[in-house]
Amino acid sequence: MVSRVIPVDDFDLVIFGGTGDLARRKILPGLFRRFRSGQMPADSRIIGAARSELDTSGYRAMIREAIVEFGGDEKSDTDTLDQFLNALEYVAIDAKGEGGWSELKSLIRDKVIKAFYFSVAPSLFGDLAERLHAHEIADADSRIVVEKPFGRDLASAQALNATLAEHFDERQIYRIDHYLGKETVQNLMAVRFGNVLFEPLWNSHYVDHIQITVAETVGVGGRGGYYDKSGAMRDMVQNHLMQLLCLIAMEPPSVFGANEVRDEKLKVIRALQPVEAHHIVRGQYDASDDAASYRADVENPRSFTESFVAMKCHVSNWRWSDTPFYLRTGKKMKARTSEIAVVFKDLGHKMFEGDSARHRNILAIRLQPNEGMDLQVTIKEPGPGGMRLIDVPLDMTFADALGDDAEDATDAYERLIMDVIRGNQTLFMRGDEVEAAWAWTDPIIEGWEARNDVPKLYDAGSAGPDDAMMLMHRDGRRWRDIKG
Ligand SMILES: NC(=O)c1ccc[n+]([C@@H]2O[C@H](COP(=O)([O-])OP(=O)(O)OC[C@H]3O[C@@H](n4cnc5c(N)ncnc54)[C@H](OP(=O)(O)O)[C@@H]3O)[C@@H](O)[C@H]2O)c1
């Protein structure tokens, strides 16, 4: 299979926080890959901005190192890397100060697409938006890209939306959730809406339940201070898991347009019922032989913050009235995996004599590792010996399907940045979606706080607390194994 690369229009992209972790690990290595593939026009420019007193050559040296370290491939020939680095500039700017803005303005060309990536703490979004406007750097066609976390509750998300709205229209604001940039996520929509097979079965009549798991093996790493004030509910469920749930549950939009898709996602969030306290399990990882506990990692011996959440939710509409959605996410789990599993109902009638096993079709959509899908189907066990049935996966791992091109499969960040340049907001969260997600999440978190809820401990390297298993067992179901 040959992937096609269609170049985007010429652009100037300013990365505020251009020296930060995200810029060095994801944004710039991703842009380099787009440059190498021919998608980023050779004349386009990337301008890093942060407070550090660097000159452009110092910045290029920093980014060269980052691309070598985080580029994730062996194809980076020096000539191409040099050409890419020549497209980089650097300006020292404090988001809260007035220095550097006129220099930035002088670097930006008139007749190209202008995008501003706010890869800084959200507390600086307002300062940046205001100064871009005051110094007449952004125009009515410019785009801004903002990173998560987008607020920590409904009130702060509303305040952030209001701040950005003072200077930018909604059509200019790209709220990034890199989960939406994954190849599989888009393929999920292609599979659902592009095949006659699935859509007729995609409802409570045929789907028993849906499981969404996002498991990480890492702990809080160097983000302990931030994470301990956030927790898995704010850090993962409110954004990534909710977005995946929306894509699975939404009605087919009339056309595949940004607002049409986001209108349908919003309806799903609004149809989510409040979650009852006994349908949620919070967990916190404990120490194991070779790993510290969560509390040691965040240096807070009395922390009640959750590093794990499992819950059962209901989307209250015609399509999903009887189909529960089980969500689960955690840190220090037994394997790193992100997966959505659509578990279909049993056949009503067993016609094969002697076959007492339960056979179920399961469509598993893997976001990582090995992006792809498999559909579990029941067949006859090969060979003589009568009609013995077995379940086998019809496997579509993208790396197999794409062959050599899999190496070039666009990473989520680079795909999303190219969408920003194209002006396509389909895979970005709209302000009202984010607010609706917080409106659903807030009462859950407030309930925990009011009850002084203590998370259940689980062993690092496990599948989470036993209570999470019980959440499913009570309903006669079970979680799929967490496999890397
Ligand atoms: N890292 C990730 O994997 C990740 C994932 C998802 C979301 N995010 C979000 O992305 C944003 C950036 O994260 P990060 O991990 O890159 O953070 P980081 O490593 O701490 O980098 C922050 C960047 O902001 C710059 N900065 C800080 N204060 C500034 C100011 N007053 N004016 C201008 N620049 C300023 C810093 O450079 P100077 O100190 O030189 O100014 C640095 O370049 C955060 O909102 C984070 O929540 C990060």
Side-chain angles (χ1 to χ4, degrees), residues 17-23 25 49-52 90 93-96 118-122 124 147-149 413:
T19 56
D21 176 71
L22 185 67
R25 259 185 334 109
R51 289 168 308 178
S52 304
Y90 181 81
I93 284 186
D94 183 339
K96 291 179 174 297
F118 293 4
S119 183
V120 294
L124 298 175
E147 268 296 336
K148 81 164 206 182
Y413 272 97

Side-chain angles (χ1 to χ4, degrees), residues 15-27 49-54 90 92-97 101 117-125 127-128 146-149 176 178 223 226 235 240 413:
I15 307 175
F16 292 106
T19 56
D21 176 71
L22 185 67
R24 285 181 296 109
R25 259 185 334 109
K26 293 283 182 191
I27 303 172
R51 289 168 308 178
S52 304
E53 289 298 335
L54 280 172
Y90 181 81
I93 284 186
D94 183 339
K96 291 179 174 297
W101 292 97
Y117 200 130
F118 293 4
S119 183
V120 294
S123 55
L124 298 175
F125 290 177
D127 295 301
L128 291 175
V146 295
E147 268 296 336
K148 81 164 206 182
I176 223 166
H178 69 274
R223 299 166 67 221
Y226 156 76
D235 193 50
H240 304 320
Y413 272 97

Side-chain angles (χ1 to χ4, degrees), residues 78-241:
T78 339
D79 283 353
T80 320
L81 184 52
D82 286 346
Q83 284 165 24
F84 173 74
L85 293 170
N86 278 337
L88 263 56
E89 304 278 346
Y90 181 81
V91 188
I93 284 186
D94 183 339
K96 291 179 174 297
E98 299 310 326
W101 292 97
S102 35
E103 191 189 342
L104 177 63
K105 185 172 175 165
S106 70
L107 284 174
I108 293 180
R109 296 167 294 165
D110 262 347
K111 295 202 170 19
V112 296
I113 293 162
K114 300 180 234 336
F116 302 92
Y117 200 130
F118 293 4
S119 183
V120 294
S123 55
L124 298 175
F125 290 177
D127 295 301
L128 291 175
E130 197 182 307
R131 283 171 177 76
L132 282 172
H133 186 76
H135 292 273
E136 297 180 346
I137 297 174
D139 59 30
D141 196 37
S142 300
R143 291 119 212 217
I144 57 168
V145 184
V146 295
E147 268 296 336
K148 81 164 206 182
F150 200 86
R152 55 174 281 107
D153 53 20
L154 176 58
S156 53
Q158 283 171 329
L160 215 43
N161 274 334
T163 304
L164 295 180
E166 281 176 33
H167 303 295
F168 294 93
D169 286 345
E170 184 61 37
R171 65 177 170 78
Q172 297 178 277
I173 304 172
Y174 291 73
R175 294 173 195 78
I176 223 166
D177 181 334
H178 69 274
Y179 267 64
L180 294 184
K182 289 189 177 287
E183 181 77 20
T184 332
V185 165
Q186 291 163 78
N187 227 325
L188 164 63
M189 291 188 273
V191 164
R192 256 193 84 181
F193 303 133
N195 293 285
V196 73
L197 287 182
F198 292 106
E199 196 48 31
L201 306 181
W202 211 261
N203 56 54
S204 280
H205 295 299
Y206 297 100
V207 178
D208 178 73
H209 72 278
I210 289 168
Q211 301 186 15
I212 303 178
T213 297
V214 177
E216 299 176 284
T217 47
V218 292
V220 293
R223 299 166 67 221
Y226 156 76
Y227 192 92
D228 202 38
K229 293 193 190 70
S230 165
M233 191 73 183
R234 287 192 172 99
D235 193 50
M236 298 297 287
V237 178
Q238 186 274 344
N239 38 64
H240 304 320
L241 277 86

Side-chain angles (χ1 to χ4, degrees), residues 54-72:
L54 280 172
D55 57 14
T56 288
S57 68
Y59 187 58
R60 288 177 182 170
M62 173 193 273
I63 300 309
R64 179 190 294 279
E65 242 175 68
I67 290 173
V68 170
E69 188 175 353
F70 303 116

Side-chain angles (χ1 to χ4, degrees), residues 359-415:
H359 299 287
R360 283 192 153 176
N361 297 126
I362 300 175
L363 177 66
I365 300 139
R366 290 186 307 275
L367 279 73
Q368 63 190 23
N370 308 325
E371 276 197 77
M373 302 193 189
D374 66 55
L375 177 64
Q376 184 175 295
V377 292
T378 302
I379 60 164
K380 176 190 166 297
E381 193 177 316
M387 284 299 275
R388 285 195 307 265
L389 303 187
I390 53 166
D391 296 330
V392 293
L394 288 178
D395 190 354
M396 200 183 101
T397 301
F398 293 156
D400 297 343
L402 289 172
D404 289 345
D405 289 329
E407 272 181 63
D408 287 331
T410 319
D411 178 61
Y413 272 97
E414 52 197 272
R415 175 196 312 279

